[in-house]
Structures are given as structure tokens and as C-alpha cells.
Amino acid sequence: MNPEFEHLYQALSKVDGFIYPNEIELSWSILIVLYPFITGLVAGAFILASLERVFNVKSLKPTYVIALLTSFAFLLVATMPLIFHLGQPLRAWEIMMTPHLTSAMAIFGFVYLWYLMIVLLLEIWFDYRYDLVLWARESKGIKKWMYKALALGSDDISPKSLKLDDKLGYIVTVIGIPSAFLLHGYVGFIFGSIKANPWWSTVMMPIIFLFSAMVSGIALVMVLYIVINHLRKQKIDMLCLDTIAKYLFYIIIIDFTMESLDQIHRIYEAEESFEIISLLISGHLNFTLLIMQVGLGMFLPLATLGIIQFYKPEEKLRKLIYFITGILVLIGIFFMRWNVVIGGQLFSKSFLGFTSFKLSLIGPEGFLMASIWLVVPFFILAFLLWLFPPWKKTPVEH
Amino acid sequence: MPLHLKRLLLTGIVIISLFLLLKHALTPESFGQYGHYRGNSMNEIAALPIHFVGNNSCVSCHDTIVSMKSEGYHSDLSCEGCHGAGYKHVGDPKMEQLIKPDSREFCAKCHDINLARPEKAVTQKELKEHHSDQKCVKCHNPHQP
């Protein structure tokens, strides 16, 4: 048999009920799951950084720079899954050159650029400028020139200019908070605005995406802070870790409430799509939604972090609990994105049937490709931590 | 204004200018002439060689087959739908032969059972059971099935 037909027969054998011919295969696969996941980590990590800078949560100071660099490392990769999903990476720049104002994706290009160039790069630059000048003076060879170029050749570290840097950095962070909200709220909007799909089309989507982004970003920085200090054999600032965990706990509660509200709304409204969505949740998304997203990714961390707010075990155990909880939260949020992206394509627009999805190991949309884009930001972060070590920063009195 | 801020501002201006220059250089000249696309693409597409010639071109040589087809269930189908684009064949009928598909898989494209395809519009058979060892064209003349 023609291999093309064989593939079709295989896909057809997994179809339940009635679906339209173009719904047999999913057009958005794991790379599109990664896009909101990685963007969420960016926004979440930045918001954690801004807690220290703008909201003056001083105990979070040890993670301020790590959070900023994490946000930057992940932002650099955020669009890569999209570009590789397109299959025409060399055409990607056209979205910027001839943007269509009615295209939600084209506008994302500018939201992304605004966040990268105006918010993150500027904030990191203002924060590091003093150290860049000092490192340029101390270093030798290529590193010296690199630091000098990054400091834009300026050697000015007078108290007056440092004060101005601090002020401008603060303003950038203040602008950065709504920008981070905009960045990830916008990703939610891209899904929420697809009115043809009842699983996506809800005005709550940007808000849910935003809070889940904060949850994942904070969890990531918490895990990274533990890992970095473990690798550097340094003592962890437990007050800082406890504070991150406390904020993580609060934001998970808000995220949980928002997602529950959305579901209650759906259940009470019980629109014509309700039946197929209930079947979707109890059937195809049974494992990824009920067990991975809600059970492991939300209830378990909520319970653990909740207990720790009242009863604090000894440091070593607490660190281990925070580490495991952070990983669970990240897995949970990954599956939240999975359930939105993949779940939304599993049921037919006729509301009468389902198709199925099997993740392949290799290929342009396979597990390995996705793993690459999930691992690359950690290498970028390692490079950034080597080039701009936060632990070698000279403290400046703000 | 301190030197580093002046340089930062200059860097910003350079980046934005570079972007605008790139945008100018990379946007095709005829972009936006008719809509949000390259205007010249209309003429380029119109100038492409015609691949499909239409049923009327077939009648002049294959009148008996066309008239047989017009009386059968396949009367609404285009000849080139099964035989492929005919522009080369019309230009040189002896050298450029059209395809004559006769495999079961080809017929299955339309006639295999598919829940999403209305039964009233297209006859559908379970091809795994329906004389699975024989070619469809042995019993069914595709021009008058």
C-alpha cells in the first residue's frame, strides 16, 4: 500500500466518532506547547526579579540577578520553537518587515522585541554597568574588550552617574512589570481569541496564562537558585528560599482560583460544547490534566508549600522539598500548556468526535527537537553566569 | 547627560535606524500595491505556464470517451482530475503520454469508507473486503462505472 495511505489509515483507526477530514492530524504539536511554556518562564522570572527591585522585598536580593539572567536566556529562545515549527525559518523575518496589523502573531513580534530590547536588556545593562566597567579594568585579553564594548566604552562610575543608573534601572523595571504582563498575557490572548475553539476561547485565557507564567517562572528561579548554589558549594540563603516559596504558594493559590473559576463558568454555562469538553477532560486529557497538571503540578505543591508555611522542617529537608516542589510545578505548568495546545485540537469542531495525538521521538516536531529547545536556554544561562557572574558583582548602595 | 547615556541613546538610534533600513531594503517594491502582498506576484503568477487545459481540449481527439463519461456517474469529474495536467500532452500527444491510474489505492481515494464523506454523494466500499485481490478497473470502467 502507498505509505501515504498507510499513515492515513493508521490515523483514521484512532479516530472516535465523527470528525472533519482536516482534523485527523494535529497542526500544532509539541513545539507550540513549548512556545507558551518558555515565554511563561521569561515573564515569571522577571516578575520575581521585580518583586525585589520595585516592591522592595529585600530578602529576594540573592535571586534578583539570577532571575533577570534566566529571563533573558529563555527569552532568546522563546521564538525558536515557533520558527522551527514553521518549517521555513528563513522567512521568519518577514513577520517583522511586513507586519500585518490584524495578525495577532505579527504583533507578538513587536511585543517580544519591546520586552527584549527595552525592558530586559536595558535593565540588565543598568544593573551590570558598574561591574562591566570594573571588570573591564581588571580583565585581560578578549574578555577585557568584551566588557569594555558592553559598557559602551564608558569608564564613568562616579556616584552621580551610578545614582542616575539606579534611577533609570528602576524606571525600566516599573515599565517592565506591565510589559511582562503584556508579553505573557498576549500569548494567552493568541489562544483566547480563537473564537472557533471553545476550549481556548475564553477571556480568562490571558489571565490564566499570566498567573501560570508567574508560577512557572518563580519555580524555575527557585530550582535554579538551589542548583547553582549546590554546584558552587555555597550556603543557600534560607530566608530568600523561604520567601520565594511563600510567593510561589500565594501565586499558585491565585492561579488555581482563576483556573477553577474558568471551569466553574464553563460548567454553569454548559454551552453546546460542554459535553465534548467534559468527554475531553475525562477521556483524552485524563492523565495529562487530572493527574499531571492538577494533581502533581498543583495540589501536591499547594499542600507541601501550605504545610511549610506553618511547620518548617530542618533546612536540608526543606531545601529538598523546595527542589522537588519546584520541579513538580514546572512539570505541571508544562502539562497545562500541553492540555491547552494539544487538548484544543483533539476534539472535532462538529463536537461529535475526537482524533488522537502521539508524540514522535524524532523528526521536526518530535520529542528530541523539543528537548533541544528546552535545554538550550540552560546553556545560554550557564554562559551568561560565566560572563556576568552575579556573585562577583560589587554591591552598590541603592 | 553622562557619556554612557549618550552612547546608549546613540546605540538605540543606530539599532532603530538599522531596522528601518533593513525594512526598507527587504520590503519588495510592489508590496502593498493591491493589498497586503507583493503586487508583482499577480503578474508573475499570471505568466506561469498553464498546466490544466480543461475538458474541452480532450473532446477534439477523445470524443467517444468523453461522451461515454458524460453518461455515467463520473460525468461531473474533470478528465485531468484522474489523468493529471494535460498541457504537455496537448502540445505533443505522441511523446507526452498521460497517466492511466488503475490501482485500488487510486480508487480508494474517493471510494474507501470514510465517515466524514457523505455516503449519498460518493459510493463507498470496504476495500479490504470488496474483491480485495482484483483491480477495480477489471469490473468497473472508470469512464462509465
Side-chain angles (χ1 to χ4, degrees), chain A residues 1-2 5 9 12 17-21 93 96-100 110 117 122 125-126 129 151-154 156 161 164-165 168, chain B residues 1-5 7-9 11 15 19 22-24 26-28 31 36 105-106 108-109 112-117 127-128:
Chain A
M1 190 186 279
N2 186 332
F5 286 111
Y9 273 117
L12 273 170
F18 178 88
I19 68 165
Y20 295 121
W93 51 270
M96 306 297 297
M97 296 300 136
T98 55
H100 203 304
F110 289 93
M117 305 293 286
L122 271 188
W125 191 75
F126 278 125
R129 204 186 67 81
L152 298 179
S154 163
D156 182 5
S161 66
L164 192 62
D165 279 359
L168 288 171
Chain B
M1 190 193 282
L3 179 71
H4 68 281
L5 287 184
R7 288 192 176 162
L8 181 68
L9 211 62
T11 313
I15 291 173
F19 175 80
L22 264 175
K23 182 171 162 50
H24 182 73
L26 293 173
T27 306
F31 188 85
H36 199 81
E105 283 81 12
F106 186 79
K109 279 185 178 178
D112 194 9
I113 288 177
N114 182 346
L115 287 171
R117 187 183 290 142
L127 288 182
K128 283 176 188 156

Side-chain angles (χ1 to χ4, degrees), chain A residues 3-4 28 35 44-45 94 134 138 140 143 167 203 218 224 227 231-232 241 251-252 257 298-299 322 337 341 389:
Chain A
E4 224 172 279
W28 289 354
Y35 157 60
E94 286 183 16
L134 290 184
E138 292 162 7
K140 279 177 189 160
K143 241 183 163 183
K167 212 170 172 180
V203 282
I218 294 173
L224 281 173
V227 172
L231 292 176
R232 293 186 59 237
L241 208 55
I251 308 275
I252 295 180
T257 317
M298 201 169 260
F299 281 153
Y322 286 150
R337 314 298 191 217
V341 177

Side-chain angles (χ1 to χ4, degrees), chain A residues 136 240 373:
Chain A
C240 171
W373 292 122

Side-chain angles (χ1 to χ4, degrees), chain B residues 81-94:
Chain B
C82 297
H83 294 291
Y87 78 107
K88 278 187 182 167
H89 176 67
V90 169
D92 188 356
K94 280 188 182 157

Side-chain angles (χ1 to χ4, degrees), chain A residues 1-3 5 9, chain B residues 74 82-83 99-112 127 130-138 140 142:
Chain A
M1 190 186 279
N2 186 332
F5 286 111
Y9 273 117
Chain B
H74 283 173
C82 297
H83 294 291
I99 48 162
K100 292 178 184 170
D102 63 352
S103 65
R104 286 178 70 83
E105 283 81 12
F106 186 79
C107 302
K109 279 185 178 178
C110 299
H111 296 291
D112 194 9
L127 288 182
H130 187 75
H131 303 292
S132 58
D133 55 337
Q134 291 184 29
K135 285 190 171 177
C136 310
V137 290
K138 196 177 175 194
H140 305 277

Side-chain angles (χ1 to χ4, degrees), chain A residues 173-190:
Chain A
T173 320
V174 172
I175 298 170
I177 296 169
S179 302
F181 276 55
L182 178 72
L183 178 78
H184 206 67
Y186 198 88
V187 178
F189 160 76
I190 287 178

Side-chain angles (χ1 to χ4, degrees), chain A residues 173-286:
Chain A
T173 320
V174 172
I175 298 170
I177 296 169
S179 302
F181 276 55
L182 178 72
L183 178 78
H184 206 67
Y186 198 88
V187 178
F189 160 76
I190 287 178
F191 285 97
S193 60
I194 299 178
K195 57 188 167 194
N197 190 320
W199 184 234
W200 292 339
S201 176
T202 155
V203 282
M204 293 288 277
M205 199 57 109
I207 300 166
I208 292 172
F209 262 54
L210 191 58
F211 278 99
S212 55
M214 283 152 89
V215 169
S216 64
I218 294 173
L220 178 67
V221 176
M222 185 168 86
V223 170
L224 281 173
Y225 182 59
I226 297 173
V227 172
I228 289 170
N229 277 291
H230 181 75
L231 292 176
R232 293 186 59 237
K233 299 186 172 64
Q234 294 292 316
K235 193 173 157 36
I236 289 180
D237 181 344
M238 280 315 279
L239 177 65
C240 171
L241 208 55
D242 284 333
T243 316
I244 301 178
K246 188 176 75 184
Y247 279 103
L248 183 61
F249 177 61
Y250 293 158
I251 308 275
I252 295 180
I253 292 178
I254 300 175
D255 184 35
F256 175 65
T257 317
M258 291 294 162
E259 289 194 38
S260 307
L261 270 176
D262 185 42
Q263 294 309 325
I264 291 167
H265 204 91
R266 278 178 202 277
I267 294 165
Y268 189 76
E269 270 193 340
E271 282 186 1
E272 72 231 84
S273 60
F274 180 65
E275 203 178 335
I276 193 89
I277 285 177
S278 334
L279 284 171
L280 177 75
I281 292 171
S282 59
H284 284 73
L285 297 187
N286 191 324

